[in-house]
Amino acid sequence: MRDLRVALAVGLSIALGLAASTTSSDTTSAAAQTETAAATAAPEADARGGEVEALDPGVEALGAPAVAAGTKWVYLTFDDGPSARYTAQVLKILHAYKVRATFFVVGQNVKRYPYLTRRADRLGHSVQNHTWSHPNLRNVSWKTFKYQIRTTDRYVRAQTGYTPRCLRPPYGATNRIVARRAAALGKTIKLWSVDPRDWARPGASVIARRVLAKVQPGSVILLHDGGGNRSQTVAALPKILKTLKARGYVFYPLWCQ
């Protein structure tokens, strides 16, 4: 009789163990399925969050952003501003098309029109250094070089809260000395790959045609919002943006590292 009770107790213990094991297995399986589903959904959410159309201020422009495969992007840049007349018009057009750009500003102009630099920053554009008074940096002393860059940094920082990391030498004039000095001040030199020579005022249609004929994925487009009469650039801008968007391009600001 005792042996029978022992056998029954052992059998009951085994049965209970099997039931617990099955329940644990089911729970683990369900958790694994939930984790797998979450992992599968995450990349899609990340890709949507990285799109420029969402105007995410955290977008980094130096590498290929976290967007869907096959996405084409360009960097739209404006030099020599801000200007009271043309920068405001450019900002309005960019906002209408939900496009972010980079403004390489002249420090003297930032001092004169600080509210335009502040507005560009608040709209999500990148504001970077184009020197204080637009000299040829190949022809200045180290003391003047530092003054040109650091003074502009100070005025930009007062309006944006950050120090520019990109430097665009006026006229694109650079050499080993300029590059070494820029690096010593924590700057990355950023030039351009598409120049429609809008500063020469060849006509709005010509400016747009030159940009659209030369642009390709990764292009850095050079335009101007200051330094003279930029009415033709402003007139050409809607066609440039509309056409590039129709071709599948997205726009990223430059920040440098």
Side-chain angles (χ1 to χ4, degrees):
M1 189 68 177
R2 181 184 178 187
D3 291 342
L4 178 59
R5 285 198 302 268
V6 171
L8 288 173
V10 172
L12 180 59
S13 176
I14 293 174
L16 290 173
L18 287 174
S21 176
T22 301
T23 302
S24 175
S25 177
D26 290 344
T27 302
T28 302
S29 177
Q33 289 174 5
T34 301
E35 183 178 353
T36 301
T40 303
E44 182 181 356
D46 289 344
R48 286 198 304 268
E51 290 180 2
V52 154
E53 297 298 332
L55 297 181
D56 180 356
V59 170
E60 173 56 55
L62 283 183
V67 296
T71 297
K72 299 183 293 185
W73 66 90
V74 293
Y75 307 113
L76 183 63
T77 68
F78 294 89
D79 281 15
D80 297 351
S83 68
R85 183 171 184 179
Y86 302 110
T87 302
Q89 295 179 57
V90 168
L91 288 173
K92 185 176 180 179
I93 294 170
L94 294 175
H95 185 68
Y97 282 86
K98 297 182 179 179
V99 165
R100 282 183 170 174
T102 304
F103 290 85
F104 284 94
V105 296
V106 173
Q108 289 180 341
N109 293 336
V110 175
K111 181 180 180 181
R112 188 175 304 170
Y113 308 113
Y115 65 95
L116 288 171
T117 299
R118 188 163 59 251
R119 185 185 305 175
D121 172 64
R122 290 179 178 177
L123 288 172
H125 304 292
S126 174
V127 181
Q128 300 298 326
N129 198 314
H130 197 40
T131 74
W132 177 253
S133 60
H134 209 272
N136 186 326
L137 291 179
R138 294 180 299 188
N139 301 330
V140 303
S141 67
W142 173 227
K143 180 179 179 180
T144 300
F145 190 104
K146 288 187 290 185
Y147 174 83
Q148 288 283 329
I149 307 309
R150 287 176 172 171
T151 309
T152 302
D153 279 351
R154 186 167 68 252
Y155 276 87
V156 170
R157 185 166 54 246
Q159 301 306 320
T160 67
Y162 61 81
T163 300
R165 299 297 299 274
C166 305
L167 170 64
R168 176 166 286 174
Y171 318 106
T174 187
N175 56 23
R176 291 182 180 178
I177 294 177
V178 171
R180 184 165 63 247
R181 288 175 172 177
L185 297 179
K187 298 289 185 281
T188 298
I189 291 178
K190 280 293 174 182
L191 299 180
W192 56 83
S193 57
V194 176
D195 179 7
R197 297 173 65 85
D198 63 323
W199 55 267
R201 303 185 66 217
S205 61
V206 174
I207 294 171
R209 183 169 68 250
R210 287 174 177 174
V211 170
L212 297 173
K214 295 181 179 180
V215 74
Q216 55 185 324
S219 289
V220 179
I221 302 169
L222 170 64
L223 293 172
H224 294 79
D225 65 318
N229 185 331
R230 303 305 177 207
S231 58
Q232 293 182 2
T233 301
V234 171
L237 189 55
K239 182 176 181 179
I240 292 171
L241 300 181
K242 182 178 180 180
T243 303
L244 290 180
K245 281 201 158 193
R247 292 180 184 178
Y249 282 94
V250 293
F251 297 79
Y252 291 97
L254 289 164
W255 293 104
C256 298
Q257 295 178 338

